[in-house]
Amino acid sequence: MAGSTAMAVVALAPAGPALAATGALSVWKFGGTPAEVEAWPAANERFLAENAGVELNYSFFNGQIRRQKLLAGFQTNKLADVIIAFGQDIPEFAGFGMIQPLDDIAGDQIAGWKERMVPEVLNAGMHEGKLYGLPTYVDMSAFIAIDSDAMAEAGFDRPPATWSELRAYAKAMTKPDRPGIAFPATTAPVDINIFEGIAYANGGRIFDEATGQVRLNDAGVVDALQLYADLIADGSTPSGNSMTETNFRDTAQLFGQKRAAMWIGLSWLNTPWGVQEGMNWQGAPFPKPDAPSGAYPPVAAIMDGTAVLMVSSRTQNPEAALAYIDFWSQDAQLNIWGGNPEIARVPAGKAAWKEAGLAKAWPAWVASYEAGTLFDGAEPMPRFIGVSAVESALATAIQQVVLGQKTPQEALDEANAAAQAQIDLLRG
């Protein structure tokens, strides 16, 4: 999620006796919150202390360039041994032969992973019955952040529960210098995932795996995009031009600066970047449609791991790669997402859910997890071969509607046809 220019950290192995994992190991990590970006290299030092024979070359990149960077690395035979990317990427990467199933190299270690990790989160690394990646957490979509003072000032005492209530709240909370709601509408993958969570809750899907058909113009998706158009028409949002240039992170900062009364995001909402000191705010699941209109069952949320560890199919050092992945399956590392230092993610480690920091930051999450209901009705974010092509077409349609160039139906009909042509080409 958070980005910077690529940076490399090379740690030389300390002197000591050689262990089972030895030699050079390259790791590429894509994205992360500021706290996570700082915590990861510190954990790498612990890994090196435990694996004295490994020479670790760790590089960090902006999460939004991961697909281009990884495909280019694979095509030029310069791919890292371990890739830390999104679970949503797994079907494409596996289909292209870029990554290998961990089942084939991990052996008995997988039993320990299952013991330490939340099963619904571990499943985010699965594809066609095999484990291709080890998630460290998941993000869930869609959620809404609300300025509690602005909400009370407008006469409301609870978050909106339906789409019609959301529109009413946004209009009532709009001021000349502060829109009632903001949502990101750039072509960044996270912006698309936020919209997909809204559409899937309305019974929409972007692709039907069973038939191989793109479903961008399903009523569930069309009506979700119409909601974006309606919020703009109501005068409750920033300008369309602004939103097509303001990504998820920028939109979160608008909310944190009290320049928007509500904003639409993922489960982490504003926690990675903070809010003004003393700001009174709350988060809630995104309101549900008054009457779901899609052809598929509505879902409670969609979720994906955005720091999933995968092993390159071309690695020359599978022992060290596996040692690195097993290291990240341990409680000491997974507890990073238990509120110390990171509170912005839904943790993969069972032990992280017992951490006081998480309970303080997200008491409702912890209560729901302990009750066994947190993941009820949740499904993975769209993940299939060709997902990037379909999401690219969807991004274009969203921008056309936000800019007032096309109706949702027109934009999604065109996007559907373009994406279907790409899918047919990819699948022969």
Side-chain angles (χ1 to χ4, degrees):
M1 290 167 39
S4 73
T5 55
M7 66 179 181
V9 179
V10 179
L12 298 178
L19 303 177
T22 61
L25 177 70
S26 57
V27 175
W28 289 356
K29 184 180 188 304
F30 293 87
T33 64
E36 180 186 329
V37 169
E38 293 179 3
W40 207 283
N44 283 342
E45 293 299 324
R46 297 195 297 273
F47 170 78
L48 288 169
E50 296 174 13
N51 296 270
V54 174
E55 298 175 4
L56 178 63
N57 186 336
Y58 169 78
S59 301
F60 169 76
F61 303 95
N62 186 303
Q64 305 309 300
I65 68 165
R66 68 189 189 279
R67 289 173 180 166
Q68 304 95 304
K69 174 71 176 176
L70 290 168
L71 286 169
F74 180 68
Q75 291 165 354
T76 58
N77 202 26
K78 295 180 180 179
L79 197 61
D81 298 297
V82 174
I83 301 159
I84 308 169
F86 292 17
Q88 195 180 15
D89 302 325
I90 288 176
E92 282 196 335
F93 292 172
F96 295 151
M98 294 169 56
I99 57 175
Q100 58 182 297
L102 298 180
D103 311 65
D104 295 348
I105 59 175
D108 295 340
Q109 288 175 306
I110 291 181
W113 301 350
K114 291 181 177 179
E115 182 179 338
R116 292 187 292 274
M117 299 179 70
V118 177
E120 292 90 345
V121 179
L122 185 60
N123 285 343
M126 299 287 294
H127 174 59
E128 295 184 343
K130 291 190 174 184
L131 184 67
Y132 278 89
L134 184 92
T136 51
Y137 57 80
V138 292
D139 294 323
M140 302 177 76
S141 179
F143 283 73
I144 190 167
I146 307 165
D147 183 326
S148 300
D149 293 335
M151 182 173 68
E153 184 181 82
F156 304 113
D157 60 2
R158 60 166 177 80
T162 64
W163 286 7
S164 57
E165 285 189 355
L166 178 70
R167 291 180 64 186
Y169 276 49
K171 289 181 71 173
M173 294 164 73
T174 295
K175 290 185 173 182
D177 60 345
R178 187 201 65 198
I181 191 167
F183 55 83
T186 74
T187 58
V190 173
D191 293 5
I192 306 309
N193 294 152
I194 291 168
F195 173 78
E196 287 168 340
I198 300 170
Y200 276 47
N202 192 39
R205 298 293 187 273
I206 67 170
F207 182 71
D208 189 314
E209 188 75 49
T211 63
Q213 297 299 302
V214 178
R215 296 304 307 268
L216 289 177
N217 57 357
D218 176 84
V221 184
V222 173
D223 291 341
L225 190 48
Q226 184 64 53
L227 176 63
Y228 275 18
D230 289 341
L231 288 167
I232 294 169
D234 290 342
S236 303
T237 69
S239 70
N241 284 331
S242 171
M243 287 189 290
T244 58
E245 298 174 358
T246 306
N247 67 20
F248 62 96
R249 179 177 178 175
D250 300 327
T251 316
Q253 290 174 330
L254 284 177
F255 175 77
Q257 296 164 0
K258 296 183 76 71
R259 294 165 59 195
M262 296 186 286
W263 91 276
I264 306 169
L266 297 180
S267 47
W268 41 259
L269 294 171
N270 213 62
T271 49
W273 297 284
V275 296
Q276 284 186 5
E277 185 175 352
M279 181 173 176
N280 182 23
W281 73 283
Q282 60 185 288
F286 189 81
K288 303 304 180 187
D290 297 77
S293 58
Y296 299 85
V299 303
I302 56 176
M303 62 183 187
D304 190 47
T306 54
V308 180
L309 293 98
M310 313 169 205
V311 176
S312 166
S313 60
R314 295 177 178 172
T315 180
Q316 298 299 305
N317 198 348
E319 294 83 7
L322 183 59
Y324 190 77
I325 288 183
D326 189 63
F327 169 80
W328 280 99
S329 79
Q330 305 296 325
D331 290 345
Q333 283 62 251
L334 294 178
N335 283 355
I336 287 171
W337 292 278
N340 185 22
E342 184 54 81
I343 61 172
R345 310 293 201 178
V346 179
K350 294 177 181 177
W353 287 95
K354 300 176 183 177
E355 294 289 305
L358 192 70
K360 180 179 179 181
W362 298 109
W365 280 12
V366 175
S368 181
Y369 172 76
E370 291 176 344
T373 60
L374 180 64
F375 302 104
D376 284 356
E379 292 190 4
M381 286 186 184
R383 43 192 299 166
F384 51 88
I385 294 175
V387 64
S388 52
V390 176
E391 289 188 335
S392 177
L394 174 58
T396 298
I398 291 173
Q399 291 214 319
Q400 289 172 334
V401 170
V402 169
L403 292 171
Q405 297 169 348
K406 289 183 171 67
T407 68
Q409 189 70 63
E410 291 169 344
L412 289 168
D413 281 343
E414 290 183 12
N416 200 85
Q420 189 67 61
Q422 291 294 313
I423 287 289
D424 292 343
L425 184 63
L426 283 169
R427 298 190 171 213

